[in-house]
Amino acid sequence: MNSPQRVLTLPPKMAESFHALEPKPSPQWFVTFDPDRPLGSGGGTAHALLEAWRAHGERLSFYDWLADSRKIVIHAGGQSRRLPAYATVGKTLMPIPATRGSRGQRPDQALVDLQVTLCDEILDRAPESLRVMIFCGDALLRPSQLPIALPEADVVVVGQRADAETASHFGAFFLSHHAPGELDFMLQKPSPSQTLALAPGHDCLIDVGIWLLSEAAVKALLSKSGITAPEQGQTAEEYDLYSEFGPALGSNPSAPDPVVSQLSASVVSMPGEFLHFGTSRQLVDSVTRLHDQAHHSAPLGFVTSAKRHPNQHVQNARFSGPPPLKPGEPYWIENSTVPQSWTLDGENMVTGVPVNHWTLHLPRGACLDVVPIGESDACIRVYGYDDAFKGAVGSSKTEFLGRPLEKWLAERQIELDDLAVDLQEAALFPVVAANQIDPRLIEWMLHPGGDGELRERWLALSKLSAKDLLKLANVSRLYKQRCDALVESLDAMQKNHRVSMFYSLDLEWTAKLMARERPSFMPEPVSADESVPKRIHEAMFRSELMRLSGKGNFKAAEAEAFQTLRSAILEKVPHPVAPTLGVAKDQIVWGRAPLRFDLAGGWTDTPPYCLLNGGRVLNVAVELNGQPPVQVFIRLSERRDILLRSIDLGTERRFGTFEELSDRLEELSEFSLPQAALTLAGFSREAAGGRLDSFLESFGGGIEMSLLSAVPKGSGLGTSSILASTVLSSLNEFCKLGWGPSEVMLRTLALEQMLGTGGGWQDQAGGLLPGIKDLETGPGLIQNPSCRWLPERILGPGYANSTVLLYYTGITRVAVNVLKEIVRGMFLNSGPRLATLQRIRDNVDPAVTAIQQHDYEGLGRAIRRSWELNQELDSGTNPPSVQRILDRVEDLLLGAKLLGAGGGGFLLMFAKDQEASRRVRSILESDPPSDRSRFFDFRVSQVGLEVTKS
């Protein structure tokens, strides 16, 4: 499935400069602006889609282009009258400070970054038939819960329950109690009495500005916008999505239309917080609410922010001392320099102000925006916190700076030529050289009773209107000033990391920014008394800066990060232990274990992600070809040494000293794993003291351990971790160590850290515990998964090897390097990686639900989604050799995925039915991709890992 294309409408100057200023590549991001005529939200959507198609359609017809990838249309090309600070760039590009308690947010993120994250999450749950999502550019929904799946319909809209008074300010969807989920009709801003009168038979949900359209719905919308044949070069006409298209939908539309009313329409309720960013006040209030939702500290003692007054938001700003902000008062200061010589009384927005040493007083409710014009000029825009920038300049009802405009004009003895002109088009804002801004002129504009000289200067200067600024602002200069301030802010945040959220930012992105803008930047290592996560993040951040700049030993800093994690996990393992012989001299301990299929959630069990967030995985223990594939045999030997033997590899090695047993484990020989297991079981100089032969004599004899892995190497079935658990469990029995399953899992995690292979907890839990399992952990260094067993019928005899097929591709890939690269991204709080991991975790729910409801097709879809997300996390998951196998059988499958890290190994396939399964077998058996490729039979293990004595 191709990723959705984002289609933005922005103000003209920003649209022209978007790709030069924003790190959002084409064609994944397409930007346009509305023509200089009213189009409405419906016509504007039609225009944006047509422009994107004409730019990137590559000779496809419009509807073939629409079928090629989904489109997300975000409208932010309006005049932004009530939020002047971000009118020139478009409200969707307003910078939003990283949320307190978050991890992986970029320091330069904008509202659009939060919006598209939500869009992607919703599209993940939408049927393929829904091709276009329309999203309001000045709003954000923060769902407390997302539905597992969206319904099939031509139009799916998202709503929230609200009382009758609230509904009177929005579009409102009404759903009959007899047809839950189906739209009965839509009303625009119904009166409270209307809503209350309808309440006995209807539920009312307000429109939150998220609409999804099928191809049929797009055709209808284009038709109503005057476009019946896109290929003929037609242009869009004015048409409104919310007041015209919406009311024509439903079983009983309030405004029937022969084209629109034939479309099916469903409403999805999404509980959560609905945030508006359309006005200055809403911006401050919504960002305050975003921060108040967040936790102010993370697990493991990692503080992620200092908590200033919650309604005071400062970013990309310079101060000569403590910010001159009054406690409890709301402020928004961004891309500005604010010296201590300023006085701000509250409800002030300050944006775009260059470096200065002014003395300036902003009274309560006064806002200041300095807009770059041309190469060296600036426009000084003052306005009121709640100004609407609407109404004729000659009207007594038109307000400016929170007061009647006519009073502002009279106080300054100003007469405007055209009293009928709208305030948005009134040339009130003077243009001066950016380095010659006189703060007295700003004071004159803000305070009544200014002197005549300043009046004459204001009259003499060239002036622009708010509307002019949309076309004349130099957004490149604005971005450059913001970037310079951001770099200084980040430097200060890093130096004050104990009280800032620096190390919870997206450090991968931050390193690229700092390496580009300030190549000399290099933080000092944090002290050893800092939290484990911070030390990990700092070391890898330092490594990334070194790698990008070519200065310093980046591999040593990277190793430091991994060593910090390794030490933290190993410290949680109780040691030393005292092994005592637990068998008779003629007894053999026999451990055997199934392998595991990871169905959903894989990678969320991997440190450090699971240590900070917890993890959740759906997997199943399986036997192959009628037997548990992993087996371990331990017996007593008369020799005073330790013999390790690999049955499947046909190799063996003797160890006569503790040093030999623990030496160079990270080089990963065929016996590194049992060597590390023996060390954890007390066979080490640290635990036993003295010499190995003396210790074995007191123990009762030497040890012979034989290992068998009856599965190809690089299978993706968790073999190494499960073998480690089997060895540890067998040693537990042989040496009377008294470990329970949780302690075996903890030691397996520690063993993999000793070997430097990393890895999470899902493999050992998958093989240790039988059946199909929903496994989950919380944050913390101790990862002890809780287990919810699920019914096995959907993978039982009626499906296993019948419609659910296990195929060995014959392609091998070792997961260690893949794992290291992904873990490195976790160390750096890589925002895209963390977002993908969250979606991987979220995909567990639909998979679990499908199993509980015996929904075979639903499980197939969840498996397909797991595969897509794994490829998103690691592009090497699906090499061309694997894709060629999938291409041959794709049409016969509901879903398929390579197991484990991917790249090769075993392929799990869910055929559409038994005939499709027969054809898959025939295709792959008649012409296998390699001489090692073959099908394996599997069955769900009923016992999990089992250890017995002869």
Side-chain angles (χ1 to χ4, degrees), residues 662-680:
S662 61
D663 186 39
R664 303 166 78 175
L665 293 178
E666 290 187 32
E667 293 187 5
L668 299 180
S669 73
E670 66 268 40
F671 296 117
S672 294
L673 189 152
Q675 286 175 247
L678 284 159
T679 301
L680 286 171

Side-chain angles (χ1 to χ4, degrees), residues 40 55 262 277 425 442 512 587 613 621 652 743 787 861 868:
Q262 61 184 336
F277 297 83
E425 300 178 25
I442 300 173
K512 290 178 183 176
Q587 280 187 304
N613 305 279
E652 63 179 43
E743 292 166 299
C787 180
R861 288 193 299 270
E868 292 167 351

Side-chain angles (χ1 to χ4, degrees), residues 492-567:
M493 286 177 68
Q494 192 280 324
K495 288 182 172 64
N496 294 285
H497 61 81
R498 286 183 178 271
V499 294
S500 80
M501 59 182 298
F502 182 85
Y503 284 111
S504 67
L505 296 172
D506 183 335
L507 296 173
E508 186 174 53
W509 181 267
T510 302
K512 290 178 183 176
L513 175 70
M514 297 302 282
R516 184 183 73 240
E517 300 295 331
R518 186 174 289 186
S520 62
F521 175 80
M522 187 63 63
E524 292 295 323
V526 299
S527 64
D529 63 350
E530 292 288 353
S531 66
V532 170
K534 184 178 285 188
R535 284 186 283 138
I536 290 171
H537 291 318
E538 185 279 329
M540 193 61 80
F541 176 62
R542 197 164 14 97
S543 169
E544 183 70 357
L545 284 169
M546 292 176 183
R547 188 183 69 82
L548 292 170
S549 67
K551 300 173 183 176
N553 188 346
F554 77 90
K555 289 188 176 180
E558 179 181 281
E560 180 185 333
F562 280 98
Q563 182 58 47
T564 300
L565 174 63
R566 183 177 303 125
S567 299

Side-chain angles (χ1 to χ4, degrees), residues 60 74 99 121 137 190 200 274 301 309 314 358 383 407 420 422 424 470 553 555 576 715 764 856 864 869 934:
L60 294 173
I74 299 179
T99 310
E121 290 174 345
F274 182 31
H309 293 281
V314 174
W358 308 334
Y383 60 94
K407 288 189 177 180
D422 187 78
Q424 180 76 354
L470 301 178
N553 188 346
K555 289 188 176 180
S715 66
Q764 52 266 36
Y856 179 74
R864 180 182 293 272
L869 290 168
R934 60 196 184 274

